[in-house]
């Protein structure tokens, strides 16, 4: 371990914005030995990816290394000629990108892209690299390793692509691989499989790695040591176990504590009470493609129902049915025991008012040309009929509710707000209609953890004050744990399990819920090792899903 | 593959529909032209009786719908009718004009062949040159080379065609007599001579169409350079030229193909000026002459051919750009 492979000293990076160079990274130091894995963590804007790329001697357009040194095996990458760097990249230093679907060239087959680096660098001839690729696919437990490489990227699923990309990074047996959030875009059950593959192959070839992520639990499984970044500054660095058990800096502690927010479970509802919203035997389709099959669940006043499931499970489609954007082909939606017209165009204003929505991307959900006052004022005027100073008073009141100072924010545009503040405006806009029921569609998944926690706390407070009912769509089980009263688990357009949160998180589970729950990484560095030992490699991810399908067809 | 055949069939059907609409538009527009052939040929001193007689012989006294349907039925069977101007008047007055010379098809065929030849020679130079220039400009973007190429191609597209033609004549035919300045092509000429005589007009047209294709190639490639898969290729240590040619170009083909098709269509339909300068016997000249003397069957046929060329080339471009998308070539 004494053999230092990568030495980064005082690394400073600037980015160009508005004709001036602004600092992005202000002096980062680290060493990486052969076979060692360094985890870089931090929130968005911390400079993790920029540092990761700079460790390869690469900067994106509009960025430059303004100071410090990056030394790879005695070669100064900051001052090296482009040709020298090209010779190292791909051959001795490789990269695994966040979105494999976007980072594979859509015009070429996987194996052609796999063999490109070895052939171009003269490491091995095409045929040898091809059979080596197939061998790597097998090691990474890709299905049909012999033929999967001969497919085009769009013909392969996201998790498989991510593993194929790891295989591609390995194609020249590099000394160092930079993993840039390789599992962030994946579902939990797929993520765990990719994590297991990456860890296995990095260990097997004794490759050094930089693992960039914002997810602490993930980095705990992968890294030997962890470095925490905040807005381009390094906060602290320590061995993984040391860092988890004994963080020193207050920022690190706050990151660690994020998941501590947890609302107490409310008791089960009386069977006699009428649910605020009741989804009854809803079946729906996009054109001829069926998406929902006989979905039923109730949501009661003052409670939060979390609808969980992986991408494509139909969570958001249920929301579209409830709001009337997608009229179901069968079944109905009841509001306070009264059936709602299936099409929103046939609903009257008071029915429309009762169900509001908060969206995942506050950026795109707010009209960038309208001020905050106008954005919130419109539903106030439309639903409540308030105008002039009354309208303004109500908007200011709503801004206070979401903890934004009215005098400061009333006339601002969305672009002048941070991500968390925009999401708060989205909440205020929903509240302006004074609804009973709010659909929160992945409202925290685009936000950093600390900010997300603030939003969850705000939603919880508003619920207590206004007796709101939330339908909380999410794929993040940690969020479910902190805010939900009831949980509905969906898979392929069907409800596979529903019940009180406490019961859901306590065994025995249905097999799918069990798989989902067990796939969520925990902060314990031995979690993945233990899980693989307990379940075996065949009982995680796609393999486990396939098994489940074979056991219970349909 | 089945889906691609279906797409092609759909496009063909759409193309046929467009042709039909175009034929209506052409017929209406041509008939809206003031004056008719009978008046034009007989001049100012014509007696109304003589004008009527010729009108009757040519079928111009029929209502427009009947004439349109007659023309359409003929065109569908490949008979584009008889040229008014070339017809032997005795034949009109008598039974029927049987000689091949007077048929529209017989008049247009050699001219059209010449036009296609000129377009072909031009494309032979212009397409490879503009693609190469576009690729190089993308590779050395914002360099001196990039700017020089841009300035040169833009100034050549901004200059009038006849001006470019005279400049080329001045340099390549007058000051250095390398190429003939007249392109008087006739039937039975050897391929070599024909090719040499076509070179100057072809070079002129190359200068005219290069800018558009080159700039689209450059823009389409540069547009993709921010893609994650290009960054991935850079991080694999691939050389810049290979990144452009192997990684960017295949994904940039669709817009490039469309611009190439548009320019080829222009080469078939829009080169009258160049034809006139070089006395090149192409279809453009025939078209202009026929309009002058109100030779309606020839005008209509030329319009139809122009429309057909546009539709066919755009259709080909559509199909090719669909084929350039691997998602369609290799469905899941």
């Amino acid at each position: 371990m004494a053999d230092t492979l990568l030495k980064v000293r005082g690394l400073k990076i600037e980015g160009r914005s508005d004709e001036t160079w602004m600092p992005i990274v202000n002096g980062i130091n680290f060493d990486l030995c052969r076979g060692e894995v360094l985890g870089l963590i931090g929130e968005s804007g911390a400079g993790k990816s920029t540092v990761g790329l700079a460790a390869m001697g690469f900067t994106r357009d509009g960025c430059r290394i303004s100071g410090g040194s990056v030394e790879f095996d005695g070669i100064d990458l900051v001052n090296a000629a482009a040709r020298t760097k090209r010779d190292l990249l791909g051959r001795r230093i490789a990269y695994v990108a966040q979105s494999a679907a976007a980072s594979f060239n859509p015009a070429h087959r996987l194996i052609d892209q796999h063999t490109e680096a070895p052939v171009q660098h003269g490491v091995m001839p095409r045929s040898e690299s091809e059979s080596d690729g197939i061998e790597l696919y097998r090691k990474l437990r890709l299905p049909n390793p012999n033929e999967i490489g001969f497919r085009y990227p769009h013909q392969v699923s996201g998790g498989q692509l991510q593993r194929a990309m790891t295989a591609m990074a390995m194609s020249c047996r590099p000394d160092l691989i930079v993993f840039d959030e390789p599992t962030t875009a994946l579902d939990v059950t797929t993520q765990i499989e990719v994590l297991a593959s990456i860890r296995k192959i990095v260990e097997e070839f004794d490759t050094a790695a930089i693992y960039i992520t914002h997810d602490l639990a993930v980095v705990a499984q992968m890294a030997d040591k962890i470095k925490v970044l905040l807005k381009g500054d390094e906060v602290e660095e320590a061995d993984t176990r040391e860092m988890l058990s004994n963080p020193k800096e207050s920022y690190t502690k706050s990151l660690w504590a994020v998941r501590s927010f947890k609302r107490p479970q409310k008791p089960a509802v009386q069977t006699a009470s009428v649910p605020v919203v009741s989804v009854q035997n809803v079946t729906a389709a996009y054109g001829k493609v069926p998406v929902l099959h006989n979905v039923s669940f109730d949501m009661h006043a003052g409670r939060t129902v979390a609808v969980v499931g992986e991408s494509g499970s139909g969570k958001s489609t249920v929301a579209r049915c409830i709001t009337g954007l997608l009229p179901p082909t069968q079944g109905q939606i009841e509001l306070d025991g009264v059936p709602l017209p299936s099409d929103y165009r046939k609903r009257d204003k008071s029915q429309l008012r009762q169900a509001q929505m908060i969206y995942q991307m506050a950026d795109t959900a707010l009209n960038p040309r309208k001020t905050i006052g106008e954005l919130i004022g419109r539903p106030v005027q439309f639903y409540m009929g308030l105008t002039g100073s009354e309208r303004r008073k109500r908007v200011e009141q709503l801004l206070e509710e979401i903890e934004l100072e009215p005098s400061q924010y009333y006339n601002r545009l969305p672009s002048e707000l941070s991500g968390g503040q925009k999401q708060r405006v989205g909440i205020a806009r929903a509240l302006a209609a004074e609804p009973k029921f709010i659909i929160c569609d992945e409202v925290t998944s685009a936000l950093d953890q600390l900010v997300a926690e603030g939003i969850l706390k705000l939603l919880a407070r508003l619920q207590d004050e206004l007796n709101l009912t939330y339908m909380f769509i999410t794929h993040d089980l940690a969020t479910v744990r902190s805010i939900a009263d009831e949980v509905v688990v969906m898979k392929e357009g069907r409800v596979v399990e529903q019940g009180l949160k406490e019961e859901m998180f306590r065994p025995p589970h249905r097999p799918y819920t069990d798989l989902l729950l067990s796939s969520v990484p925990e902060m314990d560095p031995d979690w993945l090792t233990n899980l693989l030992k307990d379940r075996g490699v065949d009982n995680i991810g796609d393999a486990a899903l396939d098994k489940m399908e074979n056991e219970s067809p349909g | 593959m089945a889906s691609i055949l279906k797409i092609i069939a759909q496009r063909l059907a759409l193309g046929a529909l467009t042709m039909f609409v175009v034929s209506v538009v052409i017929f209406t527009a041509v008939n809206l032209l003031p004056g008719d052939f009978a008046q034009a040929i007989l001049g100012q001193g014509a007696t109304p009786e003589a004008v009527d007689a010729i009108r009757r012989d040519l079928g111009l006294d029929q209502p427009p719908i009947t004439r349109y349907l007659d023309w359409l039925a003929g065109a569908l069977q490949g008979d584009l009718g008889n040229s008014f101007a070339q017809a032997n008047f005795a034949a009109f007055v008598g039974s029927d004009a049987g000689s091949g010379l007077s048929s529209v098809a017989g008049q247009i065929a050699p001219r059209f062949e010449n036009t296609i030849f000129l377009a072909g020679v031009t494309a032979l130079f212009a397409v490879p040159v503009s693609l190469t220039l576009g690729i190089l400009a993308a590779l050395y973007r914002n360099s001196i080379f990039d700017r020089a190429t841009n300035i040169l191609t833009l100034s050549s597209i901004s200059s009038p065609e006849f001006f470019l033609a005279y400049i080329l004549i001045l340099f390549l035919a007058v000051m250095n007599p390398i190429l003939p300045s007249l392109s008087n092509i006739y039937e039975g000429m050897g391929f070599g001579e024909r090719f040499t005589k076509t070179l100057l007009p072809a070079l002129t047209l190359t200068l005219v169409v290069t800018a558009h294709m080159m700039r689209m190639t450059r823009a389409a490639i540069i547009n993709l350079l921010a893609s994650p898969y290009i960054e991935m290729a850079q991080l694999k240590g691939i050389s810049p030229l290979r990144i452009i040619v192997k990684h960017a170009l295949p994904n940039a083909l669709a817009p490039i193909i469309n611009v190439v098709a548009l320019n080829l269509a222009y080469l078939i339909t829009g080169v009258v000026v160049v034809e006139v300068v070089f006395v090149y016997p192409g279809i453009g000249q025939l078209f202009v002459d026929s309009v002058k003397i109100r030779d309606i069957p020839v005008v209509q046929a030329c319009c139809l051919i122009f429309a057909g060329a546009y539709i066919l080339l755009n259709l080909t471009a559509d199909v090719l750009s669909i084929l350039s998308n691997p998602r369609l070539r290799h469905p899941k």
Side-chain angles (χ1 to χ4, degrees), chain A residues 308-501:
Chain A
V308 299
E310 309 204 297
S311 47
S313 61
K315 313 184 291 286
S316 295
T317 311
V318 176
R320 288 173 63 87
C321 287
I322 294 175
T323 51
L325 290 169
L326 179 76
T329 50
Q330 277 166 45
Q332 63 177 357
I333 313 290
E334 277 185 7
L335 182 75
D336 288 330
V338 182
L340 280 175
S342 59
D343 192 323
Y344 75 95
R345 279 165 285 213
K346 296 191 187 115
R347 296 183 186 174
D348 63 32
K349 216 181 235 187
S350 71
Q351 287 170 327
L352 287 172
R353 186 175 69 85
Q354 294 300 348
Q356 294 293 313
M357 239 181 126
I358 310 171
Y359 301 86
Q360 175 174 6
M361 308 296 286
D363 264 331
T364 51
L366 300 180
N367 186 336
R369 296 260 168 219
K370 300 268 184 208
T371 63
I372 305 308
E374 288 171 317
L375 285 167
I376 305 174
R378 209 193 97 78
V380 168
Q381 189 170 343
F382 180 74
Y383 288 116
M384 299 296 143
L386 301 180
T387 49
S389 63
E390 275 182 78
R391 168 177 144 163
R392 182 169 180 120
K393 217 179 336 146
R394 175 67 182 140
V395 172
E396 285 175 351
Q397 203 183 338
L398 283 164
L399 280 171
E400 266 161 30
E401 291 262 34
I402 56 164
E403 296 152 23
L404 295 180
E405 176 53 44
S407 58
Q408 261 192 48
Y409 290 95
Y410 192 88
N411 288 316
R412 286 210 206 173
L413 290 170
S415 55
E416 297 167 303
L417 266 55
S418 73
Q421 288 170 334
K422 277 183 239 182
Q423 199 54 282
R424 282 167 190 264
V425 172
I427 294 172
R429 185 172 62 176
L431 289 179
E434 297 179 23
K436 276 188 181 166
F437 171 68
I438 298 182
I439 298 172
C440 307
D441 191 353
E442 303 267 11
V443 286
T444 55
S445 55
L447 301 173
D448 284 321
Q449 292 179 31
L450 284 172
V451 182
E453 195 194 2
I455 296 286
L456 292 182
K457 282 183 175 155
L458 171 69
L459 286 170
R461 183 176 60 83
L462 291 169
Q463 180 168 53
D464 293 342
E465 287 173 16
L466 305 167
N467 199 32
L468 294 167
T469 307
Y470 293 144
M471 171 173 160
F472 210 94
I473 298 171
T474 182
H475 67 276
D476 180 14
L477 291 160
T479 311
V480 175
R481 226 174 270 213
S482 64
I483 195 168
D485 298 308
E486 274 129 274
V487 184
V488 173
V489 183
M490 291 192 64
K491 179 173 181 265
E492 288 163 16
R494 286 185 174 80
V495 173
V496 288
E497 194 172 1
Q498 54 180 312
L500 289 176
K501 171 178 69 174

Side-chain angles (χ1 to χ4, degrees), chain A residues 505-542:
Chain A
F505 282 97
R506 196 188 314 127
H509 306 292
R510 288 285 203 78
Y512 179 67
T513 313
D514 185 44
L515 181 71
L516 266 188
L517 289 175
S518 66
S519 302
V520 180
E522 287 166 20
M523 293 289 268
D524 169 13
D526 297 321
W527 169 80
L528 184 59
T529 317
N530 292 337
L531 184 85
L532 289 173
K533 214 185 286 164
D534 288 352
R535 296 187 76 115
V537 275
D538 291 326
N539 277 319
I540 57 168
D542 290 343

Side-chain angles (χ1 to χ4, degrees), chain B residues 302-314:
Chain B
C302 286
C303 288
L304 213 55
I305 286 176
F306 291 164
Y310 255 100
I311 290 170
L312 208 65
L313 279 166
N314 274 309

Side-chain angles (χ1 to χ4, degrees), chain A residues 115-126:
Chain A
T115 56
E116 189 177 21
V119 172
Q120 291 295 310
H121 288 295
V123 175
M124 51 178 110
R126 160 99 200 189

Side-chain angles (χ1 to χ4, degrees), chain A residues 115-331:
Chain A
T115 56
E116 189 177 21
V119 172
Q120 291 295 310
H121 288 295
V123 175
M124 51 178 110
R126 160 99 200 189
S127 57
E128 197 181 317
S129 172
E130 208 172 284
S131 45
D132 180 59
I134 291 169
E135 194 47 46
L136 283 171
Y137 293 153
R138 183 168 293 124
K139 278 197 167 72
L140 288 166
R141 303 185 48 80
L142 280 163
N144 303 326
N146 287 321
E147 58 101 7
I148 194 165
F150 297 90
R151 295 197 208 155
Y152 283 82
H154 70 269
Q155 296 169 316
V156 179
S157 77
Q160 292 170 4
L161 275 182
Q162 201 57 268
R163 277 179 279 169
M165 177 159 284
T166 307
M168 182 161 86
M170 277 292 172
S171 62
C172 295
R173 300 292 185 277
D175 301 311
L176 169 67
I177 301 185
V178 176
F179 292 95
D180 192 354
E181 306 243 17
T183 61
T184 307
L186 303 175
D187 283 324
V188 277
T189 53
T190 318
Q191 161 171 289
I192 182 172
E193 217 168 17
V194 175
L195 289 180
S197 313
I198 290 178
R199 203 170 72 167
K200 172 172 180 249
I201 204 141
V202 167
E203 270 168 18
E204 187 168 331
F205 295 115
D206 199 25
T207 315
I210 297 176
Y211 196 99
I212 299 163
T213 179
H214 66 278
D215 190 333
L216 292 161
V218 166
V219 85
Q221 314 310 316
M222 309 303 285
D224 299 314
K225 57 183 184 185
I226 296 177
K227 186 175 199 66
V228 183
L229 301 182
L230 171 65
K231 291 178 183 146
D233 290 305
E234 51 181 72
V235 178
E236 63 176 312
E237 180 184 326
D239 282 350
T240 302
R241 277 166 208 280
E242 169 76 17
M243 180 75 99
L244 288 175
S245 56
N246 188 17
K248 298 213 164 45
E249 299 292 324
S250 58
Y251 173 70
T252 318
K253 284 179 189 156
S254 72
L255 275 183
W256 266 228
V258 159
R259 305 208 167 185
S260 60
F261 174 64
K262 193 174 173 202
R263 302 189 80 195
Q265 166 84 62
K266 293 185 182 124
V269 278
Q270 260 85 52
T271 41
S273 78
V274 177
V276 174
V277 172
S278 170
V279 180
Q280 296 174 348
N281 309 95
V282 163
T283 298
Y286 287 122
K288 283 191 181 119
V289 187
V291 239
L292 293 180
H293 309 274
N294 201 18
V295 170
S296 302
F297 57 90
D298 293 342
M299 290 175 269
H300 290 269
R303 302 172 72 89
T304 303
V305 176
V307 179
V308 299
E310 309 204 297
S311 47
S313 61
K315 313 184 291 286
S316 295
T317 311
V318 176
R320 288 173 63 87
C321 287
I322 294 175
T323 51
L325 290 169
L326 179 76
T329 50
Q330 277 166 45

